[in-house]
Amino acid sequence: MTEKLQTELVEAALAGDIDSFGQLARRYYASLVAVAYAILADHQLAEDTAQEAFARALTNLSKLRKPDKFAPWLAQICRNIAKDMVAAKARQVNTEDSCRAPDNGGRDDNVEAVRGAIEQLPFRAREVIVLRYYNGLSYEEISSVLGISKPTINGRLTRAKRKMARYLKCNGFPENRL
Amino acid sequence: MKPDKSDKKINELISRAIGRQRPTFDFNKWQADHQKEIQTYKAQVKKPSDSVESSEIWRKIMKSPITKLAAAAVIIITILGGINFWPDSPGNRKWWLDPSAAWGQEIIQSLEKVKTLVYRQRVASVSDYGNAKMGVGWEQRFCSENAYRRDSYDWRDGTTVINTQWVLREPDGRTKYEVSYEYQCYFQDKTGGRFYSDQMDSFRWYVGLLHKADRILETKFFEGRECVGFEINAGKYGDNPESQFNRIWFDVETKLPARIEKHGHRSSFDAAQAHTVIHDQFEYYTEVPADIFTPQIPQDFVNAHPDEIRDARKGQMTFADVPEGLKDQIVAAMKKAKTMVYQQGDMTVYSSPNAWRYDYYSADRLQKSEWYVSEQYDTGETGFEIEDKVLRVVRTTVDFDSRTYRISGYISSRHPMHEIVFFAGLVDRADRILENRIIDEVECIGFEISAKKYGDNPESMIHRLWFDADTKLLVRMEFEWETDKPSKQNLKQQFQRGQFQWDSDLPADTFTPAIPEGFGTPTKKVQ
């Protein structure tokens, strides 16, 4: 989808064309799910969050001042909802015995180690890694939803992967597998 | 662009760890599930924000009192839209760097045009020992020059209106009406006091204080709007403690207040936490919708204050004559302590400001140790909404029976000191003061507290707290309640926490996770 077409769809949606909003929603669904997953680390919650983000975006569409910034605006709504969910989850866990918090037993060690390495990344780095590898988004798609250039994405990805590699090495991950 | 090629191995590892098939989106199903939002959206499109017409807006559309009120609230917010007082203002100029006297006056003048203000109030709890948490319940408030209304949403689910209050200006004072949908009652109270129009007055007052701001905060997006914030220590006005401060955020484009945060208010109930009160989702309207400010009392509701009904349901409560200031002394003594150790059954708990540990024993043999180490958690530039304190806790569990260990990270996990200080803070609500007793060779003062005084605890649940008469530090906690299972022989259940040690000389590595050599993760058990 070209930027021009996207802007036209946003303007049509602003004028009341719900189908245009539908096209935008289809276009950004995978991106939003990844944005939410970077915060929640839960597939189902991430999908729920993306759908809730569309609902909030639709009812607040009239407040969007820059149609060309639709995707970053949508992503920010999604992040806010996801962060509220983190708070809600934290509340739920706190009402229980902390000893009963979910464990990670029985999973592949490598997978757990890599997930741990992703988790320790600063938020921006974690988000770009998840966007790239969770649903296999293209640089084009990441650029659109984050509102940053492709070289910036590339730089962030490279730095994030270096940090992950360092973390994994420090935690005993075999170097020949990196 | 082929940037990832050189990182083939790590790319594969990451894909394996988190990769999944791209999800598809069924817009038709989504539409079916979100009819309310779609109707709201369509209504907005039909009525642009600059053409305010009220005749159709305020009509009653539902029969149930709760849903009618809730729906009315939605209508106000979504149909009228906001007012842009500065449609031609230059977008990039940082007007907030000019002296506040100039633009502050503009804001006050603009606020004069506002006839009705709608906003949301939420309260976040900020633990002295951990993260901030946003409350589930919230309030929607409606303010006009002569009337005020507050809809309170259920603290359990955040979706149902459980209480509505109206305050109406009268020639000789004000009349307050309150309807509790939770307790199916209402009451009316007329007083001669001044009618306080709440947030509108606050706005003018805050704007007048901006020249005293301690700092201008970096711009930040709230609800998709860029805002600039001002932080003011509350100690600069009134009789407020230095620990309180406020932040007021203005929409960069409209210059209107967009969010107010009041930080550092100590909880009167939980001694281990403070509150941050947040007002946001401000909507400014140029009309006063009469129906919104007209009290609506359901015919079958009884005339009583909600507190009366609640107290009647909970049974009579008794309060001992606890000396004034004693609770503060006790709480202060415990908060001053850097480390705490106590025993609960076969478990020993060790606590320090940033880490804690549980050791589980069976017949004097250590079975399992759990270390919890808290660290700052990076949630990104925009941050968690209450971003002042975001901690993540990393838990390390070592199981000596299976010779395994496990490391996992959580955002939550409550610090043991929070609970201890919470209970200590209940002493001024004690049912009775117990006779002094010697426990572990220490003279103790004791308090008995019925747990029904907080939460939904049963009548039979009782806590007894014993404090060192001299140091005011906790010596023992006793918990007692009756089981609701008649089949159990011993109906009375109890446990206690004791052998407290405060600021004792703990080994330096007490809070450092120690994984014995040869131990593996559960999937790679070392024999």
Side-chain angles (χ1 to χ4, degrees):
Chain A
M1 187 185 286
T2 63
E3 275 183 31
K4 186 168 174 271
L5 175 60
Q6 180 192 294
T7 306
E8 282 173 7
L9 285 172
V10 175
E11 280 166 356
L14 280 164
D17 181 10
I18 186 81
D19 290 335
S20 294
F21 185 82
Q23 282 194 52
L24 290 164
R26 285 189 199 96
R27 158 83 169 83
Y28 288 112
Y29 186 59
S31 306
L32 285 207
V33 172
V35 163
Y37 184 81
I39 294 164
L40 293 161
D42 181 309
H43 303 302
Q44 191 55 52
L45 276 182
E47 292 211 27
D48 291 347
T49 302
Q51 299 199 17
E52 176 61 21
F54 289 139
R56 285 205 200 164
L58 188 67
T59 53
N60 287 288
L61 200 58
S62 59
K63 294 179 186 170
L64 176 66
R65 296 288 181 265
K66 295 175 181 169
D68 59 323
K69 298 286 180 204
F70 174 76
W73 175 73
L74 189 60
Q76 188 54 45
I77 291 173
C78 188
R79 280 185 205 105
N80 289 342
I81 298 169
K83 284 167 187 170
D84 284 348
M85 283 201 180
V86 169
K89 272 176 84 178
R91 224 171 11 245
Q92 283 165 11
V93 173
N94 269 342
T95 59
E96 298 169 2
D97 181 352
S98 56
C99 304
R100 282 188 279 136
D103 61 40
N104 55 357
R107 290 187 198 153
D108 184 302
D109 277 355
N110 287 350
V111 166
E112 283 311 311
V114 175
R115 283 185 181 165
I118 295 170
E119 199 178 81
Q120 56 81 38
L121 288 172
F123 177 74
R124 277 179 165 195
R126 189 166 71 239
E127 188 175 57
V128 79
I129 285 281
V130 172
L131 281 165
R132 179 69 177 140
Y133 296 96
Y134 179 57
N135 289 327
L137 297 184
S138 67
Y139 275 54
E140 186 95 41
E141 288 171 306
I142 300 172
S143 166
S144 178
V145 79
L146 295 186
I148 55 176
S149 68
K150 290 176 198 171
T152 307
I153 294 166
N154 191 32
R156 276 194 202 174
L157 277 171
T158 307
R159 284 192 295 277
K161 283 188 277 190
R162 272 190 214 137
K163 273 188 185 170
M164 285 180 64
R166 271 201 301 274
Y167 174 88
L168 288 166
K169 276 179 204 165
C170 289
N171 284 275
F173 198 90
E175 210 159 327
N176 60 0
R177 291 197 211 160
L178 291 170
Chain B
M1 190 175 288
K2 294 177 182 174
D4 321 79
K5 288 266 172 168
S6 60
D7 305 323
K8 197 178 166 196
K9 283 181 184 171
I10 197 160
N11 291 346
E12 280 174 8
L13 281 169
I14 301 170
S15 294
R16 241 184 78 209
I18 63 166
R20 72 193 285 256
Q21 221 171 13
R22 185 180 278 236
T24 52
F25 182 56
D26 184 344
F27 186 59
N28 291 332
K29 184 177 181 303
W30 182 88
Q31 278 183 287
D33 293 342
H34 293 86
Q35 279 301 307
K36 198 174 111 188
E37 285 84 358
I38 290 167
Q39 282 168 15
T40 303
Y41 158 72
K42 285 181 176 167
Q44 282 177 318
V45 174
K46 279 181 197 159
K47 285 187 182 293
S49 60
D50 56 355
S51 61
V52 177
E53 290 176 24
S54 63
S55 57
E56 283 183 42
I57 294 168
W58 311 109
R59 69 182 186 271
K60 295 170 188 175
I61 57 166
M62 292 187 182
K63 286 180 184 171
S64 150
I66 294 177
T67 51
K68 185 171 71 179
L69 298 176
V74 170
I75 287 168
I76 297 170
I77 288 171
T78 55
I79 292 187
L80 287 178
I83 303 165
N84 188 347
F85 291 106
W86 288 275
D88 302 321
S89 60
N92 294 324
R93 208 172 81 79
K94 292 187 173 179
W95 50 264
W96 56 88
L97 297 179
D98 293 343
S100 65
W103 52 267
Q105 196 52 37
E106 270 187 282
I107 291 172
I108 288 173
Q109 282 170 8
S110 301
L111 290 172
E112 298 297 329
K113 299 174 195 169
V114 176
K115 298 298 180 200
T116 305
L117 171 70
V118 182
Y119 67 96
R120 173 176 69 167
Q121 173 175 297
R122 291 178 298 162
V123 179
S125 306
V126 185
S127 170
D128 296 336
Y129 303 97
N131 282 323
K133 294 184 191 69
M134 189 65 78
V136 177
W138 57 284
E139 292 175 2
Q140 186 153 47
R141 295 179 171 195
F142 308 78
C143 308
S144 72
E145 191 183 357
N146 295 315
Y148 163 81
R149 171 175 156 176
R150 183 199 70 195
D151 287 350
S152 303
Y153 285 77
D154 198 335
W155 56 272
R156 286 154 293 207
D157 63 21
T159 59
T160 316
V161 178
I162 54 168
N163 186 294
T164 297
Q165 188 184 87
W166 294 264
V167 183
L168 308 180
R169 188 195 293 272
E170 305 282 0
D172 53 348
R174 58 190 159 88
T175 303
K176 181 163 81 174
Y177 300 84
E178 187 165 333
V179 172
S180 168
Y181 304 103
E182 188 179 19
Y183 296 110
Q184 302 206 326
C185 64
Y186 72 95
F187 82 97
Q188 182 180 336
D189 171 42
K190 184 168 181 179
T191 65
R194 188 175 83 89
F195 174 80
Y196 177 59
S197 69
D198 195 61
Q199 199 67 54
M200 295 301 286
D201 283 348
S202 295
F203 278 169
R204 294 184 193 100
W205 184 71
Y206 275 123
V207 171
L209 274 179
L210 289 176
H211 67 283
K212 291 185 179 176
D214 297 293
R215 61 190 182 116
I216 299 176
L217 306 165
E218 279 185 30
T219 62
K220 195 169 170 180
F221 280 85
F222 294 111
E223 302 280 324
R225 306 282 300 171
E226 189 179 15
C227 300
V228 60
F230 293 78
E231 187 175 292
I232 307 163
N233 191 296
K236 287 187 172 176
Y237 55 85
D239 193 18
N240 301 307
E242 288 286 325
S243 56
Q244 290 180 12
F245 66 94
N246 300 330
R247 288 177 184 161
I248 178 163
W249 296 84
F250 295 92
D251 187 313
V252 164
E253 191 179 341
T254 67
K255 294 184 186 168
L256 286 168
R259 177 178 166 107
I260 292 174
E261 300 164 11
K262 300 172 187 177
H263 294 258
H265 292 255
R266 296 304 309 178
S267 165
S268 60
F269 190 76
D270 186 342
Q273 67 183 25
H275 289 146
T276 297
V277 180
I278 298 169
H279 293 167
D280 64 358
Q281 295 191 351
F282 287 101
E283 298 284 346
Y284 301 89
Y285 303 109
T286 53
E287 301 214 344
V288 179
D291 281 8
I292 288 298
F293 294 114
T294 305
Q296 296 175 43
I297 298 163
Q299 282 185 345
D300 53 343
F301 279 23
V302 297
N303 186 358
H305 194 286
D307 289 350
E308 290 173 46
I309 310 251
R310 184 173 47 238
D311 291 350
R313 285 186 191 176
K314 282 204 161 193
Q316 197 181 357
M317 292 198 199
T318 50
F319 290 88
D321 194 12
V322 178
E324 202 178 328
L326 182 57
K327 169 197 148 180
D328 292 339
Q329 286 177 37
I330 287 171
V331 169
M334 287 198 293
K335 282 188 173 178
K336 208 172 152 191
K338 296 285 179 226
T339 64
M340 167 186 75
V341 181
Y342 69 81
Q343 196 75 32
Q344 180 184 321
D346 292 329
M347 176 175 72
T348 306
V349 180
Y350 303 83
S351 162
S352 72
N354 298 316
W356 60 99
R357 169 179 156 187
Y358 300 101
D359 280 353
Y360 301 88
Y361 289 86
S362 174
D364 292 336
R365 190 174 57 79
L366 181 59
Q367 280 191 311
K368 188 168 78 170
S369 288
E370 284 174 348
W371 289 264
Y372 292 79
V373 181
S374 60
E375 55 188 42
Q376 284 290 330
Y377 182 68
D378 177 11
T379 57
E381 195 177 66
T382 54
F384 188 60
E385 195 167 19
I386 308 297
E387 85 285 13
D388 302 275
K389 193 193 256 186
V390 182
L391 299 173
R392 180 177 72 157
V393 174
V394 175
R395 185 178 73 178
T396 305
T397 306
V398 172
D399 189 322
F400 295 95
D401 283 350
S402 62
R403 294 171 59 80
T404 58
Y405 73 93
R406 198 176 278 169
I407 300 172
S408 40
Y410 303 104
I411 288 174
S412 63
S413 278
R414 186 169 258 199
H415 195 296
M417 270 300 284
H418 187 125
E419 193 185 33
I420 297 291
V421 174
F422 168 76
F423 283 117
L426 292 176
V427 295
D428 62 349
R429 291 178 168 79
D431 295 46
R432 61 193 185 103
I433 300 173
L434 304 166
E435 271 188 40
N436 284 16
R437 188 198 285 183
I438 304 292
I439 300 174
D440 298 336
E441 299 175 0
V442 173
E443 186 187 1
C444 295
I445 48 174
F447 304 87
E448 186 172 279
I449 304 156
S450 168
K452 71 180 179 184
K453 287 180 174 168
Y454 66 92
D456 291 327
N457 295 309
E459 177 99 26
S460 65
M461 189 178 278
I462 287 168
H463 312 316
R464 287 189 203 92
L465 308 178
W466 297 93
F467 300 89
D468 185 321
D470 180 28
T471 65
K472 305 292 185 292
L473 290 165
L474 193 62
V475 175
R476 182 188 285 173
M477 304 169 81
E478 297 164 1
F479 299 85
E480 194 175 287
W481 71 99
E482 284 174 11
T483 176
D484 55 0
K485 291 176 184 168
S487 59
K488 292 213 171 180
Q489 279 190 335
N490 182 11
L491 287 174
K492 196 152 266 186
Q493 306 286 309
Q494 57 188 15
F495 74 90
Q496 69 176 40
R497 292 173 182 166
Q499 298 174 38
F500 276 86
Q501 298 170 39
W502 298 92
D503 282 333
S504 56
D505 282 332
L506 295 171
D509 59 356
T510 302
F511 301 103
T512 307
I515 301 165
E517 205 169 319
F519 278 36
T521 54
T523 48
K524 274 194 148 187
K525 193 167 149 186
V526 176
Q527 298 299 327

